[in-house]
Amino acid sequence: MGGPALIINPSDGLFLASLFGFLLSLPLSLFVIFWVSVVLVRRRWIVLLGAFIGAFIGLLAILGWVDTLIFDTPLPNAQVGATFFGALFLCSILGLVGGMLADWLAARSESRRSRRQTTLLPE
């Protein structure tokens, strides 16, 4: 009764549904964030890594909420189809948010490096 259960049951339909929802959300979120980041960032792998991390956080959230990652038993009346679509949408959204945050951080650091140092000339 103390801490989290941290049980992953691969034979459970909920785990497989959330895993396949995560796997299907990856091409969607990585493709969209790759083309969004074309304009501002030179190192696009940072943005893709941020999108992957965001989608993975979504997978962990679904597993913690519906399956036995935190609790000993799955959520009562949890259905496999609802878990699949919930994982698909949540992982896609969090993947895009993670990619946008990484895009913002990478563009911010690149703009600082590429700014010109201006010197004031005496008149």
Side-chain angles (χ1 to χ4, degrees):
M1 292 264 176
L6 297 176
I7 300 170
I8 296 177
N9 189 4
S11 64
D12 189 8
L14 297 174
F15 174 75
L16 292 176
S18 59
L19 182 67
F20 283 117
F22 166 71
L23 291 176
L24 285 176
S25 73
L26 281 180
L28 174 70
S29 59
L30 293 177
F31 177 76
V32 169
I33 205 64
F34 179 80
W35 290 110
V36 166
S37 68
V38 164
V39 177
L40 296 176
V41 180
R42 279 186 244 142
R43 294 179 294 175
R44 291 185 211 118
W45 65 270
I46 295 173
V47 178
L48 294 177
L49 181 67
F52 180 79
I53 290 171
F56 188 72
I57 289 172
L59 174 67
L60 292 179
I62 287 289
L63 287 177
W65 181 26
V66 176
D67 208 13
T68 57
L69 191 63
I70 295 177
F71 301 108
D72 292 337
T73 59
L75 188 68
N77 297 327
Q79 298 175 356
V80 175
T83 303
F84 169 74
F85 285 108
L88 179 68
F89 294 137
L90 185 68
C91 291
S92 296
I93 290 169
L94 288 180
L96 290 175
V97 168
M100 285 180 195
L101 286 175
D103 185 28
W104 175 67
L105 289 173
R108 185 174 167 204
S109 69
E110 285 181 5
S111 70
R112 281 188 184 156
R113 279 187 286 148
S114 64
R115 269 191 208 140
R116 299 173 93 192
Q117 296 292 332
T118 58
T119 58
L120 297 174
L121 299 173
E123 292 182 13

